[in-house]
PDB file of all heavy atoms in Angstrom:
ATOM      1  N   GLY K   1      58.162-118.223 154.844  1.00 85.00           N
ATOM      2  CA  GLY K   1      58.249-117.649 156.178  1.00 85.00           C
ATOM      3  C   GLY K   1      58.555-116.173 156.206  1.00 85.00           C
ATOM      4  O   GLY K   1      58.374-115.515 157.243  1.00 85.00           O
ATOM      5  N   ARG K   2      59.023-115.609 155.075  1.00 87.00           N
ATOM      6  CA  ARG K   2      59.393-114.199 155.042  1.00 87.00           C
ATOM      7  C   ARG K   2      58.149-113.310 154.961  1.00 87.00           C
ATOM      8  O   ARG K   2      57.168-113.621 154.315  1.00 87.00           O
ATOM      9  CB  ARG K   2      60.292-113.918 153.836  1.00 87.00           C
ATOM     10  CG  ARG K   2      61.632-114.636 153.867  1.00 87.00           C
ATOM     11  CD  ARG K   2      62.555-114.019 154.900  1.00 87.00           C
ATOM     12  NE  ARG K   2      62.838-112.623 154.585  1.00 87.00           N
ATOM     13  CZ  ARG K   2      63.793-112.247 153.745  1.00 87.00           C
ATOM     14  NH1 ARG K   2      64.569-113.142 153.150  1.00 87.00           N
ATOM     15  NH2 ARG K   2      64.001-110.964 153.530  1.00 87.00           N
ATOM     16  N   GLU K   3      58.233-112.177 155.649  1.00 89.00           N
ATOM     17  CA  GLU K   3      57.183-111.164 155.576  1.00 89.00           C
ATOM     18  C   GLU K   3      57.460-110.266 154.373  1.00 89.00           C
ATOM     19  O   GLU K   3      58.615-110.016 154.016  1.00 89.00           O
ATOM     20  CB  GLU K   3      57.144-110.339 156.855  1.00 89.00           C
ATOM     21  CG  GLU K   3      56.889-111.143 158.121  1.00 89.00           C
ATOM     22  CD  GLU K   3      55.482-111.710 158.179  1.00 89.00           C
ATOM     23  OE1 GLU K   3      54.584-111.120 157.541  1.00 89.00           O
ATOM     24  OE2 GLU K   3      55.287-112.742 158.855  1.00 89.00           O
ATOM     25  N   ALA K   4      56.388-109.754 153.768  1.00 89.00           N
ATOM     26  CA  ALA K   4      56.565-108.926 152.573  1.00 89.00           C
ATOM     27  C   ALA K   4      55.371-108.000 152.399  1.00 89.00           C
ATOM     28  O   ALA K   4      54.373-108.098 153.117  1.00 89.00           O
ATOM     29  CB  ALA K   4      56.743-109.813 151.338  1.00 89.00           C
ATOM     30  N   THR K   5      55.513-107.107 151.430  1.00 91.00           N
ATOM     31  CA  THR K   5      54.444-106.169 151.086  1.00 91.00           C
ATOM     32  C   THR K   5      54.150-106.302 149.597  1.00 91.00           C
ATOM     33  O   THR K   5      55.077-106.334 148.773  1.00 91.00           O
ATOM     34  CB  THR K   5      54.857-104.714 151.389  1.00 91.00           C
ATOM     35  OG1 THR K   5      55.201-104.605 152.780  1.00 91.00           O
ATOM     36  CG2 THR K   5      53.723-103.752 151.079  1.00 91.00           C
ATOM     37  N   VAL K   6      52.873-106.379 149.255  1.00 91.00           N
ATOM     38  CA  VAL K   6      52.490-106.509 147.845  1.00 91.00           C
ATOM     39  C   VAL K   6      52.837-105.225 147.106  1.00 91.00           C
ATOM     40  O   VAL K   6      52.479-104.116 147.540  1.00 91.00           O
ATOM     41  CB  VAL K   6      50.975-106.793 147.707  1.00 91.00           C
ATOM     42  CG1 VAL K   6      50.562-106.775 146.240  1.00 91.00           C
ATOM     43  CG2 VAL K   6      50.639-108.133 148.345  1.00 91.00           C
ATOM     44  N   ALA K   7      53.555-105.374 145.978  1.00 90.00           N
ATOM     45  CA  ALA K   7      53.914-104.228 145.147  1.00 90.00           C
ATOM     46  C   ALA K   7      52.945-104.093 143.976  1.00 90.00           C
ATOM     47  O   ALA K   7      52.362-103.024 143.768  1.00 90.00           O
ATOM     48  CB  ALA K   7      55.345-104.367 144.641  1.00 90.00           C
ATOM     49  N   ALA K   8      52.767-105.170 143.227  1.00 90.00           N
ATOM     50  CA  ALA K   8      51.879-105.116 142.067  1.00 90.00           C
ATOM     51  C   ALA K   8      51.664-106.518 141.506  1.00 90.00           C
ATOM     52  O   ALA K   8      52.461-107.432 141.744  1.00 90.00           O
ATOM     53  CB  ALA K   8      52.463-104.203 140.990  1.00 90.00           C
ATOM     54  N   TRP K   9      50.579-106.672 140.784  1.00 90.00           N
ATOM     55  CA  TRP K   9      50.324-107.929 140.056  1.00 90.00           C
ATOM     56  C   TRP K   9      51.022-107.859 138.712  1.00 90.00           C
ATOM     57  O   TRP K   9      50.930-106.860 138.012  1.00 90.00           O
ATOM     58  CB  TRP K   9      48.825-108.133 139.854  1.00 90.00           C
ATOM     59  CG  TRP K   9      48.128-108.666 141.083  1.00 90.00           C
ATOM     60  CD1 TRP K   9      47.860-107.991 142.230  1.00 90.00           C
ATOM     61  CD2 TRP K   9      47.627-109.986 141.252  1.00 90.00           C
ATOM     62  NE1 TRP K   9      47.227-108.813 143.128  1.00 90.00           N
ATOM     63  CE2 TRP K   9      47.064-110.047 142.562  1.00 90.00           C
ATOM     64  CE3 TRP K   9      47.594-111.132 140.457  1.00 90.00           C
ATOM     65  CZ2 TRP K   9      46.485-111.200 143.068  1.00 90.00           C
ATOM     66  CZ3 TRP K   9      47.007-112.284 140.959  1.00 90.00           C
ATOM     67  CH2 TRP K   9      46.465-112.328 142.254  1.00 90.00           C
ATOM     68  N   GLN K  10      51.706-108.953 138.348  1.00 84.00           N
ATOM     69  CA  GLN K  10      52.403-109.000 137.066  1.00 84.00           C
ATOM     70  C   GLN K  10      51.465-109.484 135.960  1.00 84.00           C
ATOM     71  O   GLN K  10      51.558-109.035 134.835  1.00 84.00           O
ATOM     72  CB  GLN K  10      53.610-109.928 137.154  1.00 84.00           C
ATOM     73  CG  GLN K  10      54.630-109.500 138.204  1.00 84.00           C
ATOM     74  CD  GLN K  10      55.266-108.160 137.887  1.00 84.00           C
ATOM     75  OE1 GLN K  10      54.741-107.115 138.259  1.00 84.00           O
ATOM     76  NE2 GLN K  10      56.381-108.181 137.187  1.00 84.00           N
ATOM     77  N   ASP K  11      50.613-110.435 136.284  1.00 81.00           N
ATOM     78  CA  ASP K  11      49.582-110.912 135.360  1.00 81.00           C
ATOM     79  C   ASP K  11      48.522-111.600 136.215  1.00 81.00           C
ATOM     80  O   ASP K  11      48.379-111.289 137.399  1.00 81.00           O
ATOM     81  CB  ASP K  11      50.153-111.844 134.285  1.00 81.00           C
ATOM     82  CG  ASP K  11      50.930-113.010 134.875  1.00 81.00           C
ATOM     83  OD1 ASP K  11      50.636-113.421 136.011  1.00 81.00           O
ATOM     84  OD2 ASP K  11      51.840-113.520 134.192  1.00 81.00           O
ATOM     85  N   GLU K  12      47.785-112.554 135.645  1.00 80.00           N
ATOM     86  CA  GLU K  12      46.723-113.202 136.405  1.00 80.00           C
ATOM     87  C   GLU K  12      47.247-114.168 137.459  1.00 80.00           C
ATOM     88  O   GLU K  12      46.513-114.531 138.377  1.00 80.00           O
ATOM     89  CB  GLU K  12      45.787-113.967 135.452  1.00 80.00           C
ATOM     90  CG  GLU K  12      44.958-113.065 134.563  1.00 80.00           C
ATOM     91  CD  GLU K  12      43.984-113.855 133.712  1.00 80.00           C
ATOM     92  OE1 GLU K  12      44.066-115.101 133.735  1.00 80.00           O
ATOM     93  OE2 GLU K  12      43.162-113.244 133.024  1.00 80.00           O
ATOM     94  N   ASP K  13      48.499-114.599 137.329  1.00 84.00           N
ATOM     95  CA  ASP K  13      49.020-115.635 138.216  1.00 84.00           C
ATOM     96  C   ASP K  13      50.121-115.173 139.170  1.00 84.00           C
ATOM     97  O   ASP K  13      50.308-115.774 140.235  1.00 84.00           O
ATOM     98  CB  ASP K  13      49.554-116.820 137.393  1.00 84.00           C
ATOM     99  CG  ASP K  13      48.455-117.515 136.617  1.00 84.00           C
ATOM    100  OD1 ASP K  13      47.362-117.673 137.180  1.00 84.00           O
ATOM    101  OD2 ASP K  13      48.697-117.894 135.455  1.00 84.00           O
ATOM    102  N   PHE K  14      50.874-114.153 138.802  1.00 89.00           N
ATOM    103  CA  PHE K  14      52.059-113.797 139.575  1.00 89.00           C
ATOM    104  C   PHE K  14      51.930-112.403 140.217  1.00 89.00           C
ATOM    105  O   PHE K  14      51.346-111.481 139.635  1.00 89.00           O
ATOM    106  CB  PHE K  14      53.309-113.832 138.691  1.00 89.00           C
ATOM    107  CG  PHE K  14      53.697-115.227 138.288  1.00 89.00           C
ATOM    108  CD1 PHE K  14      53.157-115.806 137.141  1.00 89.00           C
ATOM    109  CD2 PHE K  14      54.575-115.973 139.062  1.00 89.00           C
ATOM    110  CE1 PHE K  14      53.503-117.104 136.774  1.00 89.00           C
ATOM    111  CE2 PHE K  14      54.927-117.253 138.700  1.00 89.00           C
ATOM    112  CZ  PHE K  14      54.382-117.834 137.561  1.00 89.00           C
ATOM    113  N   VAL K  15      52.517-112.322 141.427  1.00 90.00           N
ATOM    114  CA  VAL K  15      52.478-111.077 142.194  1.00 90.00           C
ATOM    115  C   VAL K  15      53.902-110.680 142.571  1.00 90.00           C
ATOM    116  O   VAL K  15      54.689-111.515 143.023  1.00 90.00           O
ATOM    117  CB  VAL K  15      51.640-111.261 143.491  1.00 90.00           C
ATOM    118  CG1 VAL K  15      51.553-109.936 144.242  1.00 90.00           C
ATOM    119  CG2 VAL K  15      50.256-111.785 143.164  1.00 90.00           C
ATOM    120  N   LYS K  16      54.221-109.415 142.415  1.00 90.00           N
ATOM    121  CA  LYS K  16      55.523-108.889 142.829  1.00 90.00           C
ATOM    122  C   LYS K  16      55.390-108.360 144.250  1.00 90.00           C
ATOM    123  O   LYS K  16      54.493-107.551 144.546  1.00 90.00           O
ATOM    124  CB  LYS K  16      55.967-107.777 141.890  1.00 90.00           C
ATOM    125  CG  LYS K  16      57.347-107.216 142.218  1.00 90.00           C
ATOM    126  CD  LYS K  16      57.735-106.135 141.220  1.00 90.00           C
ATOM    127  CE  LYS K  16      59.120-105.577 141.520  1.00 90.00           C
ATOM    128  NZ  LYS K  16      59.506-104.522 140.562  1.00 90.00           N
ATOM    129  N   VAL K  17      56.282-108.817 145.145  1.00 90.00           N
ATOM    130  CA  VAL K  17      56.252-108.373 146.535  1.00 90.00           C
ATOM    131  C   VAL K  17      57.637-107.896 146.948  1.00 90.00           C
ATOM    132  O   VAL K  17      58.645-108.318 146.373  1.00 90.00           O
ATOM    133  CB  VAL K  17      55.788-109.511 147.487  1.00 90.00           C
ATOM    134  CG1 VAL K  17      54.378-109.963 147.145  1.00 90.00           C
ATOM    135  CG2 VAL K  17      56.757-110.698 147.433  1.00 90.00           C
ATOM    136  N   VAL K  18      57.663-107.022 147.953  1.00 89.00           N
ATOM    137  CA  VAL K  18      58.928-106.504 148.492  1.00 89.00           C
ATOM    138  C   VAL K  18      59.145-107.155 149.852  1.00 89.00           C
ATOM    139  O   VAL K  18      58.302-107.043 150.759  1.00 89.00           O
ATOM    140  CB  VAL K  18      58.878-104.978 148.630  1.00 89.00           C
ATOM    141  CG1 VAL K  18      60.181-104.454 149.242  1.00 89.00           C
ATOM    142  CG2 VAL K  18      58.621-104.322 147.277  1.00 89.00           C
ATOM    143  N   LEU K  19      60.277-107.835 149.995  1.00 89.00           N
ATOM    144  CA  LEU K  19      60.589-108.537 151.237  1.00 89.00           C
ATOM    145  C   LEU K  19      60.996-107.553 152.327  1.00 89.00           C
ATOM    146  O   LEU K  19      61.610-106.523 152.058  1.00 89.00           O
ATOM    147  CB  LEU K  19      61.717-109.543 150.992  1.00 89.00           C
ATOM    148  CG  LEU K  19      61.436-110.637 149.958  1.00 89.00           C
ATOM    149  CD1 LEU K  19      62.689-111.470 149.754  1.00 89.00           C
ATOM    150  CD2 LEU K  19      60.277-111.513 150.397  1.00 89.00           C
ATOM    151  N   LYS K  20      60.645-107.914 153.557  1.00 85.00           N
ATOM    152  CA  LYS K  20      61.000-107.084 154.712  1.00 85.00           C
ATOM    153  C   LYS K  20      62.259-107.619 155.393  1.00 85.00           C
ATOM    154  O   LYS K  20      62.676-108.746 155.162  1.00 85.00           O
ATOM    155  CB  LYS K  20      59.851-107.069 155.719  1.00 85.00           C
ATOM    156  CG  LYS K  20      58.588-106.387 155.210  1.00 85.00           C
ATOM    157  CD  LYS K  20      57.533-106.371 156.313  1.00 85.00           C
ATOM    158  CE  LYS K  20      56.292-105.637 155.845  1.00 85.00           C
ATOM    159  NZ  LYS K  20      55.254-105.597 156.912  1.00 85.00           N
ATOM    160  N   GLY K  21      62.833-106.760 156.275  1.00 75.00           N
ATOM    161  CA  GLY K  21      63.945-107.192 157.122  1.00 75.00           C
ATOM    162  C   GLY K  21      65.290-107.140 156.450  1.00 75.00           C
ATOM    163  O   GLY K  21      66.220-107.823 156.870  1.00 75.00           O
ATOM    164  N   LEU K  22      65.434-106.368 155.400  1.00 63.00           N
ATOM    165  CA  LEU K  22      66.720-106.275 154.704  1.00 63.00           C
ATOM    166  C   LEU K  22      67.218-104.835 154.716  1.00 63.00           C
ATOM    167  O   LEU K  22      66.434-103.879 154.815  1.00 63.00           O
ATOM    168  CB  LEU K  22      66.575-106.760 153.258  1.00 63.00           C
ATOM    169  CG  LEU K  22      66.154-108.234 153.073  1.00 63.00           C
ATOM    170  CD1 LEU K  22      65.908-108.497 151.607  1.00 63.00           C
ATOM    171  CD2 LEU K  22      67.239-109.150 153.606  1.00 63.00           C
ATOM    172  N   GLN K  23      68.551-104.697 154.601  1.00 65.00           N
ATOM    173  CA  GLN K  23      69.122-103.363 154.527  1.00 65.00           C
ATOM    174  C   GLN K  23      68.632-102.666 153.265  1.00 65.00           C
ATOM    175  O   GLN K  23      68.283-101.496 153.286  1.00 65.00           O
ATOM    176  CB  GLN K  23      70.658-103.455 154.524  1.00 65.00           C
ATOM    177  CG  GLN K  23      71.259-103.983 155.816  1.00 65.00           C
ATOM    178  CD  GLN K  23      71.073-103.007 156.968  1.00 65.00           C
ATOM    179  OE1 GLN K  23      70.889-101.808 156.765  1.00 65.00           O
ATOM    180  NE2 GLN K  23      71.117-103.531 158.189  1.00 65.00           N
ATOM    181  N   GLU K  24      68.651-103.407 152.151  1.00 69.00           N
ATOM    182  CA  GLU K  24      68.176-102.868 150.885  1.00 69.00           C
ATOM    183  C   GLU K  24      66.932-103.650 150.474  1.00 69.00           C
ATOM    184  O   GLU K  24      66.862-104.863 150.652  1.00 69.00           O
ATOM    185  CB  GLU K  24      69.239-102.984 149.799  1.00 69.00           C
ATOM    186  CG  GLU K  24      70.496-102.171 150.096  1.00 69.00           C
ATOM    187  CD  GLU K  24      71.514-102.283 148.983  1.00 69.00           C
ATOM    188  OE1 GLU K  24      71.216-102.969 147.976  1.00 69.00           O
ATOM    189  OE2 GLU K  24      72.602-101.706 149.111  1.00 69.00           O
ATOM    190  N   ALA K  25      65.975-102.951 149.930  1.00 74.00           N
ATOM    191  CA  ALA K  25      64.718-103.598 149.531  1.00 74.00           C
ATOM    192  C   ALA K  25      64.992-104.655 148.464  1.00 74.00           C
ATOM    193  O   ALA K  25      65.731-104.409 147.502  1.00 74.00           O
ATOM    194  CB  ALA K  25      63.746-102.555 149.017  1.00 74.00           C
ATOM    195  N   GLU K  26      64.398-105.816 148.660  1.00 83.00           N
ATOM    196  CA  GLU K  26      64.523-106.909 147.684  1.00 83.00           C
ATOM    197  C   GLU K  26      63.132-107.345 147.264  1.00 83.00           C
ATOM    198  O   GLU K  26      62.264-107.586 148.107  1.00 83.00           O
ATOM    199  CB  GLU K  26      65.273-108.100 148.282  1.00 83.00           C
ATOM    200  CG  GLU K  26      65.392-109.269 147.314  1.00 83.00           C
ATOM    201  CD  GLU K  26      66.013-110.488 147.969  1.00 83.00           C
ATOM    202  OE1 GLU K  26      66.357-110.424 149.160  1.00 83.00           O
ATOM    203  OE2 GLU K  26      66.127-111.519 147.268  1.00 83.00           O
ATOM    204  N   SER K  27      62.908-107.401 145.984  1.00 86.00           N
ATOM    205  CA  SER K  27      61.594-107.803 145.487  1.00 86.00           C
ATOM    206  C   SER K  27      61.690-109.146 144.764  1.00 86.00           C
ATOM    207  O   SER K  27      62.714-109.455 144.150  1.00 86.00           O
ATOM    208  CB  SER K  27      61.029-106.735 144.537  1.00 86.00           C
ATOM    209  OG  SER K  27      61.864-106.603 143.388  1.00 86.00           O
ATOM    210  N   VAL K  28      60.615-109.924 144.867  1.00 89.00           N
ATOM    211  CA  VAL K  28      60.517-111.209 144.167  1.00 89.00           C
ATOM    212  C   VAL K  28      59.129-111.312 143.559  1.00 89.00           C
ATOM    213  O   VAL K  28      58.178-110.667 144.024  1.00 89.00           O
ATOM    214  CB  VAL K  28      60.767-112.402 145.118  1.00 89.00           C
ATOM    215  CG1 VAL K  28      62.179-112.403 145.643  1.00 89.00           C
ATOM    216  CG2 VAL K  28      59.763-112.408 146.257  1.00 89.00           C
ATOM    217  N   THR K  29      59.038-112.103 142.524  1.00 90.00           N
ATOM    218  CA  THR K  29      57.747-112.347 141.881  1.00 90.00           C
ATOM    219  C   THR K  29      57.396-113.814 142.064  1.00 90.00           C
ATOM    220  O   THR K  29      58.176-114.693 141.701  1.00 90.00           O
ATOM    221  CB  THR K  29      57.798-111.997 140.380  1.00 90.00           C
ATOM    222  OG1 THR K  29      58.148-110.613 140.237  1.00 90.00           O
ATOM    223  CG2 THR K  29      56.460-112.249 139.719  1.00 90.00           C
ATOM    224  N   VAL K  30      56.229-114.052 142.637  1.00 89.00           N
ATOM    225  CA  VAL K  30      55.824-115.417 142.983  1.00 89.00           C
ATOM    226  C   VAL K  30      54.376-115.641 142.572  1.00 89.00           C
ATOM    227  O   VAL K  30      53.610-114.684 142.406  1.00 89.00           O
ATOM    228  CB  VAL K  30      55.977-115.680 144.495  1.00 89.00           C
ATOM    229  CG1 VAL K  30      57.431-115.583 144.919  1.00 89.00           C
ATOM    230  CG2 VAL K  30      55.111-114.706 145.296  1.00 89.00           C
ATOM    231  N   PRO K  31      53.953-116.927 142.419  1.00 88.00           N
ATOM    232  CA  PRO K  31      52.538-117.215 142.171  1.00 88.00           C
ATOM    233  C   PRO K  31      51.690-116.748 143.352  1.00 88.00           C
ATOM    234  O   PRO K  31      52.156-116.764 144.502  1.00 88.00           O
ATOM    235  CB  PRO K  31      52.507-118.745 142.035  1.00 88.00           C
ATOM    236  CG  PRO K  31      53.896-119.120 141.666  1.00 88.00           C
ATOM    237  CD  PRO K  31      54.783-118.146 142.369  1.00 88.00           C
ATOM    238  N   PHE K  32      50.482-116.310 143.092  1.00 89.00           N
ATOM    239  CA  PHE K  32      49.663-115.766 144.180  1.00 89.00           C
ATOM    240  C   PHE K  32      49.363-116.803 145.254  1.00 89.00           C
ATOM    241  O   PHE K  32      49.101-116.462 146.407  1.00 89.00           O
ATOM    242  CB  PHE K  32      48.361-115.148 143.642  1.00 89.00           C
ATOM    243  CG  PHE K  32      47.398-116.117 143.019  1.00 89.00           C
ATOM    244  CD1 PHE K  32      46.557-116.892 143.800  1.00 89.00           C
ATOM    245  CD2 PHE K  32      47.296-116.227 141.637  1.00 89.00           C
ATOM    246  CE1 PHE K  32      45.640-117.766 143.226  1.00 89.00           C
ATOM    247  CE2 PHE K  32      46.384-117.096 141.056  1.00 89.00           C
ATOM    248  CZ  PHE K  32      45.557-117.877 141.854  1.00 89.00           C
ATOM    249  N   GLU K  33      49.445-118.130 144.902  1.00 87.00           N
ATOM    250  CA  GLU K  33      49.216-119.165 145.911  1.00 87.00           C
ATOM    251  C   GLU K  33      50.312-119.198 146.970  1.00 87.00           C
ATOM    252  O   GLU K  33      50.138-119.782 148.035  1.00 87.00           O
ATOM    253  CB  GLU K  33      49.132-120.551 145.253  1.00 87.00           C
ATOM    254  CG  GLU K  33      47.960-120.750 144.321  1.00 87.00           C
ATOM    255  CD  GLU K  33      48.345-120.504 142.879  1.00 87.00           C
ATOM    256  OE1 GLU K  33      49.350-119.792 142.653  1.00 87.00           O
ATOM    257  OE2 GLU K  33      47.659-121.031 141.989  1.00 87.00           O
ATOM    258  N   PHE K  34      51.460-118.572 146.677  1.00 88.00           N
ATOM    259  CA  PHE K  34      52.583-118.558 147.616  1.00 88.00           C
ATOM    260  C   PHE K  34      52.371-117.576 148.750  1.00 88.00           C
ATOM    261  O   PHE K  34      53.144-117.548 149.705  1.00 88.00           O
ATOM    262  CB  PHE K  34      53.877-118.202 146.886  1.00 88.00           C
ATOM    263  CG  PHE K  34      54.497-119.331 146.122  1.00 88.00           C
ATOM    264  CD1 PHE K  34      53.718-120.329 145.566  1.00 88.00           C
ATOM    265  CD2 PHE K  34      55.879-119.422 145.961  1.00 88.00           C
ATOM    266  CE1 PHE K  34      54.287-121.374 144.851  1.00 88.00           C
ATOM    267  CE2 PHE K  34      56.464-120.457 145.253  1.00 88.00           C
ATOM    268  CZ  PHE K  34      55.665-121.446 144.698  1.00 88.00           C
ATOM    269  N   LEU K  35      51.332-116.746 148.648  1.00 90.00           N
ATOM    270  CA  LEU K  35      51.158-115.655 149.597  1.00 90.00           C
ATOM    271  C   LEU K  35      49.948-115.860 150.494  1.00 90.00           C
ATOM    272  O   LEU K  35      48.927-116.422 150.086  1.00 90.00           O
ATOM    273  CB  LEU K  35      51.002-114.334 148.835  1.00 90.00           C
ATOM    274  CG  LEU K  35      52.126-113.974 147.879  1.00 90.00           C
ATOM    275  CD1 LEU K  35      51.783-112.708 147.123  1.00 90.00           C
ATOM    276  CD2 LEU K  35      53.450-113.808 148.631  1.00 90.00           C
ATOM    277  N   LYS K  36      50.101-115.381 151.735  1.00 89.00           N
ATOM    278  CA  LYS K  36      49.003-115.419 152.693  1.00 89.00           C
ATOM    279  C   LYS K  36      48.965-114.080 153.406  1.00 89.00           C
ATOM    280  O   LYS K  36      49.997-113.559 153.836  1.00 89.00           O
ATOM    281  CB  LYS K  36      49.222-116.555 153.708  1.00 89.00           C
ATOM    282  CG  LYS K  36      48.027-116.832 154.601  1.00 89.00           C
ATOM    283  CD  LYS K  36      48.280-118.067 155.444  1.00 89.00           C
ATOM    284  CE  LYS K  36      47.058-118.429 156.256  1.00 89.00           C
ATOM    285  NZ  LYS K  36      47.293-119.669 157.056  1.00 89.00           N
ATOM    286  N   THR K  37      47.767-113.507 153.520  1.00 86.00           N
ATOM    287  CA  THR K  37      47.661-112.201 154.166  1.00 86.00           C
ATOM    288  C   THR K  37      48.035-112.305 155.631  1.00 86.00           C
ATOM    289  O   THR K  37      47.748-113.310 156.286  1.00 86.00           O
ATOM    290  CB  THR K  37      46.238-111.661 154.025  1.00 86.00           C
ATOM    291  OG1 THR K  37      45.309-112.609 154.570  1.00 86.00           O
ATOM    292  CG2 THR K  37      45.897-111.406 152.570  1.00 86.00           C
ATOM    293  N   SER K  38      48.651-111.275 156.128  1.00 69.00           N
ATOM    294  CA  SER K  38      49.146-111.294 157.498  1.00 69.00           C
ATOM    295  C   SER K  38      48.031-111.445 158.522  1.00 69.00           C
ATOM    296  O   SER K  38      48.185-112.110 159.556  1.00 69.00           O
ATOM    297  CB  SER K  38      49.922-110.005 157.797  1.00 69.00           C
ATOM    298  OG  SER K  38      51.100-109.971 157.018  1.00 69.00           O
TER     299      SER K  38
END
């Protein structure tokens, strides 16, 4: 449910994204299937 911005691809399967709505930027790396374009 969280909104985010794509930062970079880590490999063929995982993408690093920066989560929105926080005081400090928080990034997570997830499988590309976890993401849906806005």
Side-chain angles (χ1 to χ4, degrees):
R2 296 287 298 276
E3 301 291 334
T5 302
V6 174
W9 281 72
Q10 300 296 88
D11 54 27
E12 291 184 353
D13 296 320
F14 290 88
V15 183
K16 183 179 181 180
V17 299
V18 178
L19 300 175
K20 294 183 177 181
L22 298 174
Q23 294 292 337
E24 297 181 2
E26 178 186 0
S27 63
V28 295
T29 301
V30 297
F32 66 80
E33 295 96 338
F34 281 31
L35 304 176
K36 190 173 185 178
T37 56
S38 293

